Amino acid sequence: MGEILLHNTLTNRKEVFTPMRAGEVRMYTCGPTVYDYAHIGNYRTFVFQDILRRFLRSRGLRMNHVMNLTDVDDRIIQNAVKKGISIFDYTAKYIEAFKEDMNALSCESPEHLVRATDHIADMVKLIQKLDAKGLTYRSDGSIYYRIAKFPNYGKLSKVDLSGIQAGARVEVDRYEKTDARDFALWKAPKAGEHFWETEIGPGRPGWHIECSAMAMKYLGDTLDIHTGGIDLAFPHHENEIAQSEAATGHPFVRYWLHAEHLIIDGEKMSKSLGNFYTLRDLFAKGHKPSTVRYLLASVPYRRQLNFTADSIQQAASSVERLRNFVARLKEGKFPAGSNLAMQKRAEQAIANFEAGLADDLNTAVALAAIFDLVRDVNTAMDRDEFRQGDARHVLAAMQTFGQIFAVLEDNDDAKLRSIGIDSSTPEISPEQIETLIADRQRAREQRNFKRADEIRQELAERGILLEDIRDGGVRWKKK
Ligand code: AMP
Ligand code: ZN
């Protein structure tokens, strides 16, 4: 088999991938911050890492893959305080939902799915190590990393440090490139908020130290692959490098892989912009788990994925077409015998499929190889040129595809039921209608008439008619 090329953000080029230890890939994925349901932009990144691990496994490599759950951060703490419950009670629901969503999307479980709050002692140890090397300082009970002491700061994201002032710091975990400053390793406790009593004082970890500590605990000082969405390259991954490499003196990660964003109406889908769908939103509209997975996987990970009503419809019909094709191969009755050309055609499709994936996971090329095969085989069947003995070769190609894309098995209804959605009655509730109407009103106020029309259309498809009444109000009724 040919070599595997992966694009490394560190060098900004495609490189041949070889694991450091023969046969085993040690990989870390930044998991979700469980302060809410994850949105489908998040799942774009998680499906990408699933395609990656499935592909590496198909090459006979064993995965040692760690994904973390960020179950403590500013938003979690604040939301828990607002609700008057512990952070553990607050996050439990979203951790469960995340696991269910990942299962619905047929994402394999990483070998280690670990919680930040179970690793506070490891984070404290790492901070102590940095402290001993003179890389930290304290201010108002918090501990900061002095980035000027790490000469390689910026090597991943190529951030420009020329304008920064020594000692200037940021309090928040998520900030812009222009804010490259000393960041918090450990945050002083605030009144009424959750904190841990530790050897470095009371407080809670910053976001960045969590991933360094958990990655190195399970995978050692140097990992093969680290993945995440492109927004994490700075500051999160830059800070992970600074913490880890300064502590160990070894390179932290050999290949950094970043997924581009899923966008909607030309903007990044994000909670803060309020333009997001959760997976459950899409299921409630009647979309199937396999459709969503296919859509998220079909665009190569380094290209932006533009989420539209049209793209999800197309994904649904592509999956349908592939499933019908497999059914035709399995159930169809063809003349006895076999046709060597057809066997060769199937083998060629497998080779093209694998070559596409080996070229930095080019899922578009890989899919084209399969759809070309489907077209050619359907044509051969229609012309009576397909023989019974050919079916197993073509099925082998479809199986190769299925192991990576995981959309051929017709298990959507069971998956939906497992997260409490009965797909036989996709009825819309009055609350959902009101929410959509409010969204539409907001879109109109922002003069986003395209979105407003889409919402009207969506409601119409679900049997709800809107009537604009005087003074800007809206009435709805069932068709
Ligand atoms: P978070 O829970 O915010 O830490 O995000 C979890 C993962 O989703 C990270 O790898 C993010 O980079 C990724 N992510 C966030 N928004 C998007 C988006 N719109 N498209 C793709 N990935 C995203
Ligand atoms: Zn992380």
Side-chain angles (χ1 to χ4, degrees), residues 74-115:
D74 295 337
R75 293 164 295 183
I76 289 170
I77 291 190
Q78 284 154 15
N79 290 357
V81 167
K82 258 185 239 154
K83 291 206 156 197
I85 55 178
S86 76
I87 58 169
F88 304 101
D89 287 340
Y90 180 81
T91 55
K93 169 174 153 191
Y94 300 116
I95 291 175
E96 205 42 45
F98 176 71
K99 290 182 185 166
E100 289 173 354
D101 285 359
M102 290 290 273
N103 181 48
L105 285 176
S106 299
C107 289
E108 294 180 341
S109 303
E111 283 63 31
H112 305 274
L113 182 65
V114 292
R115 297 169 63 142

Side-chain angles (χ1 to χ4, degrees), residues 17-26 222-224 254-255:
F17 173 73
T18 45
M20 201 157 85
R21 295 184 197 151
E24 186 198 21
V25 179
R26 284 164 306 120
T222 304
L223 341 176
D224 290 310
R254 300 170 63 233
Y255 302 82

Side-chain angles (χ1 to χ4, degrees), residues 347-363:
E347 286 166 1
Q348 186 61 47
I350 294 179
N352 292 350
F353 177 78
E354 288 180 343
L357 293 177
D359 183 11
D360 195 26
L361 295 186
N362 193 328
T363 48

Side-chain angles (χ1 to χ4, degrees), residues 28-31 68 207 211 226 232 236-237 240:
Y28 185 86
T29 296
C30 290
N68 73 299
W207 175 35
C211 286
H226 194 314
L232 299 194
H236 186 51
H237 293 160
E240 281 188 39

Side-chain angles (χ1 to χ4, degrees), residues 71-252:
D71 61 347
V72 51
D73 94 328
D74 295 337
R75 293 164 295 183
I76 289 170
I77 291 190
Q78 284 154 15
N79 290 357
V81 167
K82 258 185 239 154
K83 291 206 156 197
I85 55 178
S86 76
I87 58 169
F88 304 101
D89 287 340
Y90 180 81
T91 55
K93 169 174 153 191
Y94 300 116
I95 291 175
E96 205 42 45
F98 176 71
K99 290 182 185 166
E100 289 173 354
D101 285 359
M102 290 290 273
N103 181 48
L105 285 176
S106 299
C107 289
E108 294 180 341
S109 303
E111 283 63 31
H112 305 274
L113 182 65
V114 292
R115 297 169 63 142
T117 53
D118 286 337
H119 296 81
I120 302 294
D122 301 292
M123 300 172 205
V124 167
K125 261 193 228 127
L126 187 53
I127 295 172
Q128 286 172 321
K129 240 183 182 174
L130 294 170
D131 208 17
K133 296 194 172 194
L135 291 154
T136 68
Y137 59 92
R138 281 178 187 265
S139 174
D140 295 333
S142 294
I143 304 179
Y144 294 88
Y145 186 103
R146 201 184 287 284
I147 63 173
K149 287 262 175 108
F150 184 67
N152 276 332
Y153 193 87
K155 69 175 171 177
L156 178 71
S157 59
K158 328 301 184 247
V159 69
D160 177 14
L161 294 177
S162 51
I164 72 145
Q165 277 181 317
R169 14 175 218 281
V170 283
E171 305 303 321
V172 288
D173 284 327
R174 293 173 193 246
Y175 48 90
E176 301 294 321
K177 270 193 176 185
T178 47
D179 258 343
R181 299 197 202 157
D182 294 345
F183 58 91
L185 296 162
W186 188 253
K187 299 184 173 194
K190 289 197 191 130
E193 292 188 353
H194 192 94
F195 69 94
W196 283 264
E197 199 60 73
T198 73
E199 286 174 19
I200 54 173
R204 61 193 165 85
W207 175 35
H208 317 297
I209 198 75
E210 295 177 11
C211 286
S212 286
M214 287 184 276
M216 293 197 291
K217 170 167 182 145
Y218 293 94
L219 302 174
D221 292 354
T222 304
L223 341 176
D224 290 310
I225 302 179
H226 194 314
T227 69
I230 189 68
D231 57 314
L232 299 194
F234 187 88
H236 186 51
H237 293 160
E238 201 69 71
N239 293 349
E240 281 188 39
I241 292 175
Q243 297 161 154
S244 311
E245 297 193 352
T248 69
H250 296 129
F252 176 45

Side-chain angles (χ1 to χ4, degrees), residues 17 24 49 56 66-67 82 107 133 154 166 174 186 202 208 229 272 297 299 303 326 329 382 403 415 421 453 464:
F17 173 73
E24 186 198 21
Q49 59 77 23
L56 295 171
V66 178
M67 185 194 283
K82 258 185 239 154
C107 289
K133 296 194 172 194
R174 293 173 193 246
W186 188 253
H208 317 297
S272 51
V299 177
R303 269 191 237 153
V326 171
L329 284 169
D382 295 343
Q403 275 166 1
K415 289 203 147 144
I421 298 175
D453 280 350
I464 305 299

